[in-house]
Amino acid sequence: MLHTLYLNNNKIKNAGAKAIAEALKYNKSLVHLEMNSSRIGEEGVISIALALAINTTLVTLKLRDNHITESSAFVLIFYFDTLSLSLFVLTPFIQILLKQFVNCFGATKYL
């Protein structure tokens, strides 16, 4: 079974992220997923976030150096907080947003 998938620097963009998001809805074994520097934009990030509402196995998601917007970041943060996923690697910009989220909503497990 596949537990870890590294897709770093693969230029998968939104279309690839949407395909991965669809697979995440049905996957029962993947625990760690890395898609750093893969040119994923807002649509792809939101698709992945929505898949996390269904996926019960993913623990680590790495999305450094992608085109994550403020709105897609908040969708990701919401699902990670709601589902209590344990590790989320963020860009410095998103780390700032996360700190704002923690301050506003008291999501202290991120500190």
Side-chain angles (χ1 to χ4, degrees):
M1 284 195 201
L2 182 66
H3 296 288
T4 302
L5 182 59
Y6 298 102
L7 296 173
N8 302 319
N9 302 302
N10 273 304
K11 301 178 188 174
I12 63 172
K13 301 182 181 177
N14 286 332
K18 287 179 182 180
I20 290 167
E22 190 62 29
L24 283 173
K25 293 177 185 177
Y26 303 100
N27 184 278
K28 302 288 186 241
S29 64
L30 192 65
V31 178
H32 307 285
L33 175 59
E34 290 191 22
M35 295 186 292
N36 300 316
S37 302
S38 294
R39 298 185 182 176
I40 301 170
E42 182 172 356
E43 290 179 40
V45 171
I46 290 174
S47 295
I48 291 167
L50 295 175
L52 295 176
I54 298 168
N55 181 286
T56 59
T57 59
L58 193 68
V59 174
T60 306
L61 174 61
K62 295 186 180 183
L63 291 171
R64 278 187 204 269
D65 300 320
N66 284 292
H67 306 289
I68 300 175
T69 63
E70 184 175 332
S71 57
S72 59
F74 278 111
V75 172
L76 274 172
I77 290 166
F78 171 79
Y79 280 108
F80 268 78
D81 186 53
T82 301
L83 301 172
S84 300
L85 299 178
S86 63
L87 181 63
F88 185 43
V89 177
L90 304 157
T91 64
F93 169 70
I94 305 304
Q95 287 174 349
I96 292 168
L97 292 175
L98 182 57
K99 286 178 183 175
Q100 292 172 350
F101 178 79
V102 168
N103 292 336
C104 290
F105 300 102
T108 56
K109 66 181 152 196
Y110 295 114
L111 297 176

